[in-house]
Amino acid sequence: MAFVPTGPEASFFDALDRHRASLLAVVKQGAGEAPARVTRVVSSSEVLTSIENIIQDIIKSLARNEVPAFTIDSRSSWENIMFEDSVGLQMIPQCITRKIKSDSPKSVKKFALILKILSMIYKLVQSNTYATKRDIYYTDSQLFGNQAAVDNIIDDISCMLKVPRRSLHVLSTSKGLIAGNLRYMEEDGTRVQCTCSATATAVPSNIQGIRNLITDAKFLLIVEKDATFQRLLDDNFCSRMSPCIMVTGKGIPDLNTRLLVKKLWDTFHLPVFTLVDADPHGIEIMCIYKYGSMSMSFEAHSLTVPAIRWLGLLPSDIKRLNIPKDSLIPLTKHDHTKLDSILRRPYISCQPFWRKEMEMMADSKMKAEIQALTFLSSDYLSRVYLPNKLRFGGWI
């Protein structure tokens, strides 16, 4: 069944087609220079053996009258991170670790919680069943205290065992949405056809299980905020720019949204663009999609898409379009700190145009939300700004 919406004439996509050709050349060159890094599928027996080895170490410690402890790689230290342009932020092999001791008042509770969740994961893997992070939290919400504690421990366990979270049989509920020219089949055989209508499709919770992906899309647009994503759908942007795909992680993206963007890139090698607010928070979100995050650097190869380009909203666009000052927002102290932090990151040295845009923001001491474009007209974003950017190659 063919996709119904028809977009602009073929010549509209000339700049996108040239961009895609350059991306494919880089991919081909990279494949010739080094073997492709494929995310290794970890078997259930390997996960069970890893957990058993950890428990055996605890038993041995007790037998020697030593204090049992978990040794976990530190996921919050830049000293443990290296940057590679083709991958993004990744954890170094020999990194700084921290001890979660069973006799320390500061860490005894966390030690117990790790042990409890390890036990639950073992049962899930052994019985070939799955649970969400939310399910785990509600098995004993009083003990865990809050959902964030569970999420953090599951990521620590994933890092400690050196296996993807999916291999632990722990799922997270997706918050992201997808729309546009895409069809696929879920693991259970359900056929999904995304549309350009106002009703978007929820990002699947099992990205690894989706197959038979089909698209004619010319590009993938990642939209930072749900409100902007919905506005674009309401303005029929997806249909007018057809064929294309739009994704939103509704702010800081969850793991499934990042996995989906990565899968779409690996499968189709489409040009991927981000549409974020011209503020440090929006830039941070774009960097997570492109280069990854420090806390998930141990899974960088399955999450990052370094080919992503910044489409908008650029600080230089604010000046170019003469957006009035009363439509802008002063940078807060927190914004300045965040901006300085991003400018010091290792990947900024290979992004001189990004640096220039961020320095422009810092100098102006102002930021802008995408909604600032409504000053020009209510549908300026979907009718003028994005089509012109895409047609004339206005990305960096």
Side-chain angles (χ1 to χ4, degrees):
M1 178 181 171
F3 291 102
V4 177
T6 56
E9 58 189 34
S11 62
F12 178 92
F13 295 111
D14 285 351
L16 281 166
D17 290 341
R18 288 193 297 272
H19 178 48
R20 189 183 186 198
S22 67
L23 291 174
L24 289 171
V26 171
V27 169
K28 189 175 180 181
Q29 182 184 2
E33 291 175 354
R37 287 186 172 102
V38 179
T39 304
R40 190 171 71 91
V41 177
V42 181
S43 69
S44 294
S45 61
E46 286 178 275
V47 176
L48 293 174
T49 300
S50 295
I51 295 174
E52 286 164 4
N53 289 339
I54 285 172
I55 301 304
Q56 282 177 357
D57 287 342
I58 290 173
I59 293 168
K60 287 175 184 175
S61 295
L62 291 168
R64 293 193 295 263
N65 286 323
E66 295 173 356
V67 177
F70 293 115
T71 303
I72 297 175
D73 295 338
S74 176
R75 297 186 295 114
S76 59
S77 171
W78 281 104
E79 293 177 44
N80 280 352
I81 306 297
M82 65 177 180
F83 171 70
E84 189 179 330
D85 192 32
S86 62
V87 181
L89 301 176
Q90 53 187 326
M91 194 169 274
I92 60 176
Q94 302 298 323
C95 57
I96 298 167
T97 60
R98 55 197 170 96
K99 293 269 188 190
I100 310 295
K101 297 181 178 180
S102 57
D103 70 338
S104 165
K106 287 184 179 179
S107 63
V108 63
K109 183 178 179 181
K110 184 159 187 176
F111 180 91
L113 294 182
I114 292 173
L115 206 55
K116 181 176 176 65
I117 293 177
L118 270 174
S119 168
M120 296 172 76
I121 288 170
Y122 191 89
K123 289 172 186 173
L124 288 169
V125 176
Q126 196 175 43
S127 61
N128 196 29
T129 53
Y130 291 83
T132 65
K133 293 188 297 182
R134 201 75 178 147
D135 293 334
I136 290 174
Y137 168 68
Y138 278 116
T139 58
D140 199 332
S141 58
Q142 281 193 315
L143 175 65
F144 292 123
N146 56 65
Q147 182 69 56
V150 173
D151 297 353
N152 189 50
I153 286 170
I154 289 167
D155 288 340
D156 276 342
I157 290 172
S158 179
C159 184
M160 180 169 62
L161 299 179
K162 302 290 188 288
V163 299
R165 189 200 293 165
R166 169 74 189 171
S167 298
L168 303 179
H169 285 227
V170 177
L171 306 173
S172 55
T173 305
S174 298
K175 65 170 183 168
L177 296 172
I178 184 165
N181 189 295
L182 180 67
R183 298 196 299 270
Y184 58 86
M185 185 181 289
E186 294 190 338
E187 191 174 35
D188 63 2
T190 302
R191 295 179 185 275
V192 177
Q193 177 156 341
C194 302
T195 67
C196 296
S197 68
T199 307
T201 303
V203 168
S205 59
N206 177 13
I207 302 300
Q208 190 178 314
I210 66 174
R211 59 190 189 277
N212 299 345
L213 289 87
I214 300 170
T215 187
D216 299 315
K218 290 285 189 177
F219 65 92
L220 165 61
L221 179 64
I222 300 169
V223 183
E224 175 193 350
K225 297 190 297 193
D226 184 35
T228 307
F229 180 85
Q230 296 296 340
R231 179 60 197 259
L232 289 173
L233 288 181
D234 291 343
D235 286 352
N236 290 318
F237 172 81
C238 217
S239 298
R240 294 212 306 265
M241 291 294 104
S242 181
C244 69
I245 300 170
M246 290 202 317
V247 170
T248 181
K250 298 183 180 180
I252 296 172
D254 61 322
L255 198 65
N256 290 327
T257 303
R258 291 176 64 189
L259 286 167
L260 176 65
V261 170
K262 172 69 171 175
K263 192 175 187 86
L264 290 172
W265 163 252
D266 286 345
T267 307
F268 302 112
H269 293 121
L270 296 171
V272 185
F273 303 110
T274 55
L275 176 64
V276 299
D277 287 336
D279 66 12
H281 185 70
I283 294 169
E284 174 81 280
I285 287 170
M286 174 175 62
C287 291
I288 290 171
Y289 281 109
K290 184 176 175 77
Y291 290 128
S293 61
M294 182 163 54
S295 64
M296 293 299 291
S297 57
F298 64 95
E299 272 202 63
H301 288 284
S302 61
L303 292 172
T304 60
V305 182
I308 285 173
R309 298 293 185 266
W310 186 2
L311 188 65
L313 181 66
L314 303 179
S316 58
D317 291 336
I318 297 167
K319 187 177 181 180
R320 179 175 60 85
L321 296 170
N322 293 317
I323 304 296
K325 199 166 184 178
D326 58 5
S327 296
L328 309 180
I329 306 164
L331 289 174
T332 64
K333 187 178 179 181
H334 176 74
D335 288 330
H336 281 291
T337 303
K338 171 66 73 178
L339 199 56
D340 289 344
S341 167
I342 296 171
L343 283 165
R344 288 196 301 270
R345 291 181 192 171
Y347 45 72
I348 296 301
S349 61
C350 66
Q351 292 291 345
F353 294 113
W354 284 27
R355 174 179 287 279
K356 187 177 178 182
E357 292 289 336
M358 284 185 269
E359 287 174 346
M360 189 180 297
M361 184 190 298
D363 290 343
S364 72
K365 297 182 173 58
M366 303 297 281
K367 60 184 178 180
E369 295 184 334
I370 294 163
Q371 285 79 358
L373 294 176
T374 57
F375 164 78
L376 299 164
S377 73
S378 61
D379 61 350
Y380 189 84
L381 175 68
S382 61
R383 183 176 55 84
V384 181
Y385 181 79
L386 289 176
N388 282 345
K389 283 266 184 173
L390 292 164
R391 182 169 194 169
F392 300 111
W395 52 78
I396 57 175

